[in-house]
Amino acid sequence: MVLVVVLAMVAAFLALRLYMVLGKRTGHEQPLMPKPAEERAAPTPLPRPIEIVQEPREIANRNIDSRAEAGLRAIVSAESGFDIGQFLEGAKSAYRMILEAYWKGDEEALEWLVEDEVRHAFAEAIAARATAGHVLDNRLVSIERAIIADASVEGKLARITVRFDADIAAVTRDAEGNVVAGSMSDAEETHDVWTFARMLKSSDPNWKLADTDEA
């Protein structure tokens, strides 16, 4: 019996201490006073944004030879709207269109795709082919790669040289349709180096083929 009374007294004492420490919430307590400004912890400063320096218009690109970088920077500096990626896609489209126009002997299409000197060379080759009675039955199978090999600016004239690695099925037929040379079943690897030119800040956005060569 004495032990029970002692335990009851200990329990009462602990309950009283717990009440004194935690207090009794009535809903009318005064809110905690904010600490003085000098006592409040200073806010943690946000990290400064990292400045990212990028090459203009993706000049650091695996499809660009290092020799072309200075010329491309000059082009971008003179005409900020120039986009290297769009140019390469346009160059590949022009490569296909010019080849197909030449193979078909379509001089009207070549007139707005190439510069005069190249157009005259193509016209002479088309005329010689017609005189021989030959017809080209060629097909561009694929463009495996297009790389900007060089670029330059002289005055307002910009020139960009592109190397094309492509597979072409080439067949030459006579007037009766007989195969004179080539085969449509075997595509040949071709490596062409074409230079496109355009006057910067011109109202005409088109680049024209100014020179052709083989790699």
Side-chain angles (χ1 to χ4, degrees), residues 7-178:
L7 291 176
M9 292 175 65
V10 171
F13 175 76
L14 291 176
L16 177 62
R17 293 289 299 171
L18 184 64
Y19 178 89
M20 292 174 64
V21 172
L22 298 180
K24 184 178 179 182
R25 300 289 296 181
T26 64
H28 298 285
E29 293 83 7
Q30 293 294 325
L32 295 174
M33 294 297 293
K35 293 182 178 180
E38 61 273 12
E39 294 182 12
R40 292 198 297 268
T44 304
L46 295 175
R48 297 180 62 184
I50 300 174
E51 183 179 358
I52 300 176
V53 179
Q54 296 181 342
E55 291 282 8
R57 301 289 182 178
E58 299 180 353
I59 286 180
N61 187 299
R62 63 186 180 86
N63 291 325
I64 299 173
D65 190 286
S66 59
R67 294 174 298 175
E69 292 181 1
L72 289 174
R73 288 192 181 92
I75 293 173
V76 172
S77 176
E79 195 169 83
S80 59
F82 175 75
D83 186 284
I84 294 172
Q86 289 182 0
F87 171 84
L88 270 176
E89 289 304 312
K92 288 190 284 188
S93 296
Y95 182 71
R96 180 181 296 275
M97 288 189 293
I98 292 170
L99 285 180
E100 290 178 349
Y102 169 67
W103 293 337
K104 295 176 182 177
D106 188 350
E107 296 186 46
E108 185 176 349
L110 290 171
E111 186 172 355
W112 63 274
L113 290 169
V114 305
E115 296 285 4
D116 289 342
E117 185 176 348
V118 177
R119 182 170 58 85
H120 292 324
F122 281 167
E124 290 178 359
I126 291 171
R129 193 169 69 211
T131 300
H134 291 167
V135 176
L136 296 183
D137 187 12
N138 295 358
R139 179 169 58 91
L140 177 59
V141 177
S142 64
I143 299 175
E144 296 298 323
R145 197 175 184 191
I147 302 174
I148 297 180
D150 201 359
S152 64
V153 176
E154 298 178 5
K156 291 186 177 180
L157 179 63
R159 294 167 65 89
I160 300 179
T161 300
V162 181
R163 172 190 165 117
F164 296 97
D165 298 329
D167 293 332
I168 296 177
V171 174
T172 302
R173 301 181 186 275
D174 60 20
E176 286 73 37
N178 301 312

